[in-house]
């Protein structure tokens, strides 16, 4: 569970009113598998095909979704739901975030994080976790900007972030797309 981001402050400022999450279906699985992040991000996130295999293995503990803007597939996310975490009890949060390389910097990553926060709230969860690779292409600033705070824990070589959902953290699932929004990729 880690993350990386690509920031492009000068990118498309259009409103993204057609954003929605959809389950992966037989009709969309090939397009999902074909999603590609920026080449410099490939070492920081597992490909979608691995996420789909893990979703199958974890069953109800994984929540994979495709991110669409209108009819265009722009990304993939997977949440983890009440899974054991490194001896620290059970946790829920964002497991993977893959925004297509050509679609980054448009607010889709921000939308995805907010949508997962909303789903976790709906399920009665008070905290949302995420991990990310630190370093030059790491998304720490992106997640801190959404209200995550670093816990001081590490999950392997990745920093652990926590968002308190009782405070309205991540602002619900409102649409992103404003200038300066960051998008990225997450996952091990």
């Amino acid at each position: 569970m880690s993350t990386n981001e690509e920031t492009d402050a000068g990118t498309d400022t259009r409103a993204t009113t057609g954003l929605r999450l959809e389950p992966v279906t037989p009709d969309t699985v090939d397009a999902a598998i074909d999603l590609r992040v920026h080449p410099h991000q490939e070492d920081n996130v597992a490909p979608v095909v691995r996420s789909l295999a893990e979703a199958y293995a974890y069953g109800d503990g994984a929540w994979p979704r495709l991110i669409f803007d209108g009819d265009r597939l722009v990304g993939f996310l997977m949440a983890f739901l009440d899974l054991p975490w490194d001896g620290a009890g059970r946790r829920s949060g964002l497991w993977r975030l893959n925004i297509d390389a050509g679609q980054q910097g448009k607010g889709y990553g921000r939308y995805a994080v907010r949508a997962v926060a909303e789903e976790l709230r709906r399920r009665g969860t008070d905290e949302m976790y995420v991990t990310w690779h630190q370093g030059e292409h790491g998304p720490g600033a992106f997640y801190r900007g959404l209200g995550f705070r670093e816990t001081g824990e590490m999950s392997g070589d990745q920093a652990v972030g926590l968002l308190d959902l009782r405070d309205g953290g991540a602002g619900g699932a409102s649409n992103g797309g404003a200038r300066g929004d960051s998008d990225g990729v997450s996952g091990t």
Side-chain angles (χ1 to χ4, degrees), residues 39-154:
H40 70 268
Q41 297 171 331
E42 291 173 352
D43 290 339
N44 295 326
V45 65
V48 173
V49 69
R50 179 180 173 116
S51 296
L52 293 176
E54 289 172 334
Y56 174 81
Y58 282 89
D60 291 339
W63 192 69
R65 293 293 183 269
L66 297 175
I67 307 163
F68 283 91
D69 187 353
D71 292 333
R72 186 173 24 126
L73 177 62
V74 298
F76 170 85
L77 68 80
M78 186 162 72
F80 60 98
L81 307 170
D82 198 34
L83 290 181
W85 179 306
D86 296 336
R90 301 179 82 75
R91 296 180 177 177
S92 298
L94 181 62
W95 191 343
R96 296 273 160 64
L97 178 57
N98 302 60
I99 302 297
D100 185 80
Q103 302 300 321
Q104 293 187 13
K106 299 178 182 180
Y108 299 131
R110 182 176 299 273
Y111 168 80
V113 171
R114 289 175 175 165
V116 170
E118 183 176 280
E119 178 64 19
L120 294 180
R121 277 189 203 96
R122 188 186 71 74
R123 292 171 180 259
T125 302
D126 292 334
E127 297 177 325
M128 179 176 168
Y129 287 86
V130 68
T131 66
W132 62 83
H133 288 280
Q134 297 174 317
E136 180 182 355
H137 297 291
F142 171 69
Y143 285 112
R144 285 187 295 275
L146 289 172
F148 285 88
R149 66 172 175 75
E150 289 186 56
T151 65
E153 297 172 84
M154 296 294 288

Side-chain angles (χ1 to χ4, degrees), residues 12-13 19 24 30 88 96 134 148 173:
D12 193 352
T13 59
L19 290 176
V24 180
D30 288 336
R96 296 273 160 64
Q134 297 174 317
F148 285 88

